Amino acid sequence: MTDQYDVVIIGGGVSGLSAAYFLERHHPNLSALLIEASPRLGGWVQTITLPSGQQYEAGPRSLRLRGEYALATVDLITSLGLEQDVLKASPAASSRYVILNGRPVALPEGFLDLIRTPVGRELAKKMFLEPFQKRGTVDDESVASFFSRRAPSPIVNKLANALVSGIWGGEASRLSIYNTFPDLKEADVRYGSCLIGGIASLFQKKERPKIRGMCSFSKGIEQLAKAVSAQLRMPILTDTVVQAIDFTSPSIELHFSQGTVRATKVILALPEPAIRHLIPSFFGNEQAVPHASFATVVMGWKEDGLPRKGFGILAPSSEEAHVLGIVFDSCVFPEQNTHMKTRLTAILGGTRWPAVNHQSDETLFQIASSAVASWTGMTAPCAEYSVIRSPSAIPQHPVGSRRLAPYRLSSCGRVCAIAPSIGGVSVNQCITAGSKAASWIQQ
């Protein structure tokens, strides 16, 4: 292994792998090295196999291929030749539920549901009145404040709370609307209405991804990360922790236990706390973005005993203190039910339960099992389960925090950082950030 590279990428999660792949694809003559601290590549994207042989997702459960952020993901999928392995979500996954007054209530799926259900009628009324609310300003505000202003209603507030908890694990009263639902905020400012803005977007010419919708792969989400790493030609160091970065010499020096390498440019594909540890001055005087921790309990049953079908159930914080929601994995991607006919995932923790990762596996399993029995009717003991812990996994951008951007540069201009707190938490946003970072190299 040489000790001098054009580019060194630190971090072998989805962002780092994407940066490495697009770098080799568009700049094949550059020398590059990828360094990862853990024994495996892929980061939070991980598909595990339990003793039965059934696979479960330990991290992200699917890809939502829509909008501009999906373009880089679809490009990656097609260039890797994975189109034949893409699984589209079952039509049954269109049904979603939220816990209201202790029981799951179906959310409206179409126009008829907006008329025939109490929740639907309330939402329809607020949708009709929303364009008549006062236009918003460019000032940031919390998600709770935004929805209370655009559609004041206890039910809307609960739905917004459940949605924010289910996706970010955070509190609607604290999270920035610009960094959670930027399209809604921009429509509010530009058109004075989210509804009108949504209608206007239908007539705007935009590049749309060739593969659309909610997707996975025949061997799970990690199949994408494994396909990327298998294609890389650059040397890869795993189980290697970069301990220090020195900018005093003409080349950037990276020190780790095995030695030192030098680079002309560096891509940091790391969580924000790790970036701050390596380069304390990188973010200047900005306050660190807090991160929420989670525990995921995956469960499998040999029988198909799930009474209701759908994507899953979300729980507002006012309804449940520990469980954010339950995903019906066996309904969403039934083709993956190889050894278990029913697969469920309970997601616990977030900012509503910061102590989640200090609990025992047995405690987390009992809490998850109780919610599953109460909300889904699956009272029979599961055949297998596993508890996966995700400490400090998802950034919680407070009101007034910096806006999301694909990457961020150091003051010297030689280091590019990509992280969920910088460019967004979704797999699509991580892949886009990797693609943009690779393009930065030649600037």
Side-chain angles (χ1 to χ4, degrees):
M1 183 180 70
T2 182
D3 64 353
Q4 179 71 45
Y5 295 90
D6 294 314
V7 185
V8 171
I9 301 168
I10 306 176
V14 172
S15 298
L17 287 174
S18 300
Y21 181 83
F22 287 111
L23 181 67
E24 287 191 342
R25 178 175 162 187
H26 298 299
H27 311 293
N29 295 326
L30 295 179
S31 61
L33 171 69
L34 176 64
I35 303 176
E36 165 57 35
S38 71
R40 57 174 291 275
L41 300 172
W44 295 119
V45 172
Q46 184 178 14
T47 305
I48 63 172
T49 303
L50 294 192
S52 69
Q54 178 64 56
Q55 290 188 323
Y56 300 84
E57 299 296 351
R61 336 208 61 70
S62 61
L63 300 174
R64 286 173 172 80
L65 301 179
R66 64 182 182 186
E68 61 176 322
Y69 281 115
L71 297 174
T73 302
V74 173
D75 181 20
L76 187 61
I77 291 171
T78 55
S79 64
L80 290 168
L82 290 178
E83 302 103 311
Q84 69 276 11
D85 293 304
V86 171
L87 298 179
K88 293 290 188 72
S90 166
S94 60
S95 298
R96 287 168 165 79
Y97 305 87
V98 65
I99 299 298
L100 296 176
N101 300 320
R103 63 185 183 87
V105 175
L107 295 176
E109 293 184 46
F111 178 75
L112 290 179
D113 285 346
L114 291 175
I115 299 174
R116 63 191 179 191
T117 66
V119 172
R121 288 192 291 272
E122 175 68 12
L123 292 179
K125 179 175 69 174
K126 294 304 174 183
M127 287 172 58
F128 175 77
L129 295 176
E130 188 269 340
F132 300 98
Q133 301 295 331
K134 184 179 178 181
R135 181 189 297 264
T137 68
V138 296
D139 296 331
D140 198 7
E141 61 185 312
S142 71
V143 174
S145 170
F146 177 84
F147 279 99
S148 294
R149 183 171 57 79
R150 296 306 316 168
S153 163
I155 289 181
V156 172
N157 290 341
K158 278 200 170 188
L159 293 181
N161 179 293
L163 187 60
V164 167
S165 296
I167 298 176
W168 288 276
E171 300 176 48
S173 61
R174 299 184 55 128
L175 289 183
S176 158
I177 187 67
Y178 267 122
N179 286 327
T180 50
F181 301 105
D183 291 344
L184 293 181
K185 179 60 176 177
E186 289 171 7
D188 174 33
V189 172
R190 182 176 180 182
Y191 298 100
S193 165
C194 300
L195 179 61
I196 295 174
I199 295 173
S201 68
L202 298 177
F203 297 93
Q204 295 172 358
K205 291 185 177 180
K206 297 179 181 179
E207 186 179 358
R208 300 184 185 276
K210 297 177 182 178
I211 305 172
R212 292 191 289 274
M214 187 186 303
C215 304
S216 182
F217 299 93
S218 57
K219 297 179 182 178
I221 292 294
E222 193 176 358
Q223 185 175 351
L224 179 62
K226 288 181 176 179
V228 172
S229 59
Q231 289 281 333
L232 295 179
R233 301 183 301 276
M234 68 179 65
I236 300 173
L237 298 179
T238 56
D239 265 327
T240 302
V241 178
V242 176
Q243 299 163 334
I245 299 180
D246 184 0
F247 296 96
T248 58
S249 62
S251 293
I252 302 172
E253 293 186 351
L254 297 92
H255 304 282
F256 46 92
S257 57
Q258 295 94 322
T260 299
V261 296
R262 297 173 178 82
T264 303
K265 290 186 175 182
V266 172
I267 296 175
L268 295 176
L270 299 170
E272 182 174 323
I275 296 173
R276 288 179 177 271
H277 176 75
L278 272 178
I279 310 177
S281 62
F282 189 89
F283 292 97
N285 296 323
E286 289 183 12
Q287 293 292 317
V289 175
H291 287 60
S293 298
F294 301 84
T296 302
V297 182
V298 295
M299 294 172 275
W301 289 259
K302 294 181 180 179
E303 303 80 19
D304 182 8
L306 194 60
R308 56 171 56 87
K309 306 299 182 182
F311 179 82
I313 301 172
L314 292 177
S317 57
S318 59
E319 297 279 348
E320 166 59 42
H322 304 108
V323 183
L324 303 173
I326 298 171
V327 182
F328 303 168
D329 299 303
S330 53
C331 292
V332 182
F333 299 111
E335 299 91 338
Q336 296 175 340
N337 300 337
T338 56
H339 294 76
M340 295 288 154
K341 292 184 179 179
T342 300
R343 295 177 294 119
L344 301 179
T345 297
I347 303 172
L348 296 76
T351 58
R352 70 171 70 167
W353 192 23
V356 61
N357 279 318
H358 300 297
Q359 313 303 313
S360 67
D361 284 3
E362 182 61 26
T363 296
L364 296 173
F365 173 63
Q366 291 300 331
I367 293 174
S369 297
S370 176
V372 166
S374 175
W375 297 349
T376 73
M378 290 288 292
T379 56
C382 61
E384 61 182 7
Y385 78 92
S386 182
V387 177
I388 303 104
R389 298 168 187 274
S390 303
S392 301
I394 297 185
Q396 306 291 305
H397 290 93
V399 176
S401 59
R402 63 177 182 266
R403 305 280 177 87
L404 295 181
Y407 62 82
R408 181 160 178 162
L409 298 181
S410 64
S411 57
C412 69
R414 294 188 291 167
V415 178
C416 171
I418 49 180
S421 66
I422 296 173
V425 302
S426 74
V427 175
N428 288 337
Q429 288 171 315
C430 291
I431 293 173
T432 298
S435 173
K436 298 291 187 182
S439 299
W440 160 78
I441 291 298
Q442 289 291 63
Q443 294 179 6

